[in-house]
Amino acid sequence: DAKTTQPPSMDCAEGRAANLPCNHSTISGNEYVYWYRQIHSQGPQYIIHGLKNNETNEMASLIITEDRKSSTLILPHATLRDTAVYYCIVRAPGDNMLTFGGGTRLMVKP
Amino acid sequence: KAGVTQTPRYLIKTRGQQVTLSCSPISGHRSVSWYQQTPGQGLQFLFEYFSETQRNKGNFPGRFSGRQFSNSRSEMNVSTLELGDSALYLCASSLPVDGPYRTGELFFGEGSRLTVL
């Protein structure tokens, strides 16, 4: 079973911020929160990861709650090319046996 | 820097045949993992190889096997194909863990789409 819970789908207007939530209430102390996205029929693309501090890179920001039981991926200015399935995963360093849930299908609309 | 390369990208087989898929990891990456993606089951872990040794294996029958070569390239094989083996097979590679900021994140290839008729 997946260790994370995400809404199955979300819509976002082009140019607006997309905020994708993820619950991971059973996360362990050494597990990181990772986000990947998969554009139709392509391989999952790494977006960002974090342990307990908020993180930002050129693609997105990751906000992790203080108790680490949930997080939010923020795409600051969504474009049509951000339409994809977004997966939130918890993972211990070096653990490559990832458990993917159903993810959130983000639809960015003009 | 070249990404993870998978070949072939598309292939069609018939039931009972076998198939071999190839994966070349990112240069310097020694760990290779394989995943199967189907509409019904989503993304599922198949197995992981590190330094030519299988390190982990998912819950798949023995018809699914793999290996890794000394140059870190990996192959997976599915024998006696069934209709349900039709899927996108994804390979991912990663660096070893090194400190709090290099946690060995996985980088995926574009996949090999197998259709079994």
Side-chain angles (χ1 to χ4, degrees):
Chain A
D1 290 340
K3 300 178 183 178
T4 62
T5 304
Q6 299 176 253
S9 63
M10 291 182 64
D11 289 344
C12 177
E14 188 178 20
R16 305 296 293 269
N19 297 285
L20 291 86
C22 179
N23 287 323
H24 32 79
S25 58
T26 61
I27 191 169
S28 300
N30 69 332
E31 289 180 319
Y32 287 68
V33 180
Y34 277 76
W35 284 82
Y36 284 81
R37 72 180 182 184
Q38 188 174 27
I39 296 170
H40 181 62
S41 294
Q42 298 181 19
Q45 176 190 23
Y46 165 80
I47 301 173
I48 198 167
H49 74 281
L51 183 62
K52 54 184 178 181
N53 298 321
N54 298 337
E55 302 288 344
T56 295
N57 63 19
E58 64 278 4
M59 289 183 68
S61 294
L62 174 60
I63 309 297
I64 302 173
T65 57
E66 193 170 343
D67 63 7
R68 301 210 322 124
K69 293 185 177 181
S70 66
S71 61
T72 300
L73 177 75
I74 301 173
L75 307 178
H77 305 287
T79 70
L80 298 179
R81 287 183 296 179
D82 292 322
T83 292
V85 178
Y86 287 77
Y87 295 99
C88 168
I89 300 162
V90 295
R91 171 179 182 251
D95 177 9
N96 292 331
M97 286 181 64
L98 301 186
T99 300
F100 286 82
T104 295
R105 185 174 297 277
L106 175 69
M107 180 73 72
V108 180
K109 299 184 175 180
Chain B
K1 189 174 186 182
V4 177
T5 303
Q6 293 188 244
T7 57
R9 290 293 313 279
Y10 303 91
L11 66 167
I12 299 173
K13 294 286 187 178
T14 56
R15 280 180 298 174
Q17 287 186 312
Q18 72 162 7
V19 67
T20 299
L21 309 177
S22 178
C23 172
S24 293
I26 293 172
S27 178
H29 288 198
R30 293 167 59 193
S31 169
V32 173
S33 304
W34 289 88
Y35 288 79
Q36 181 197 62
Q37 186 173 29
T38 60
Q41 299 297 320
L43 272 157
Q44 294 185 289
F45 172 79
L46 277 160
F47 27 65
E48 178 196 6
Y49 287 87
F50 180 79
S51 294
E52 302 179 65
T53 302
Q54 187 178 86
R55 190 153 68 173
N56 287 298
K57 189 176 192 303
N59 188 25
F60 280 83
R63 300 185 297 106
F64 292 80
S65 63
R67 60 178 175 169
Q68 186 180 35
F69 302 95
S70 58
N71 61 358
S72 294
R73 190 178 70 85
S74 177
E75 289 180 348
M76 66 162 285
N77 183 276
V78 188
S79 63
T80 319
L81 284 166
E82 302 176 359
L83 295 179
D85 298 332
S86 295
L88 180 67
Y89 289 89
L90 292 158
C91 169
S93 71
S94 67
L95 283 166
V97 175
D98 181 16
Y101 292 101
R102 199 172 87 182
T103 54
E105 52 264 33
L106 283 177
F107 294 95
F108 285 82
E110 295 301 315
S112 293
R113 183 167 296 281
L114 170 66
T115 301
V116 181
L117 302 176

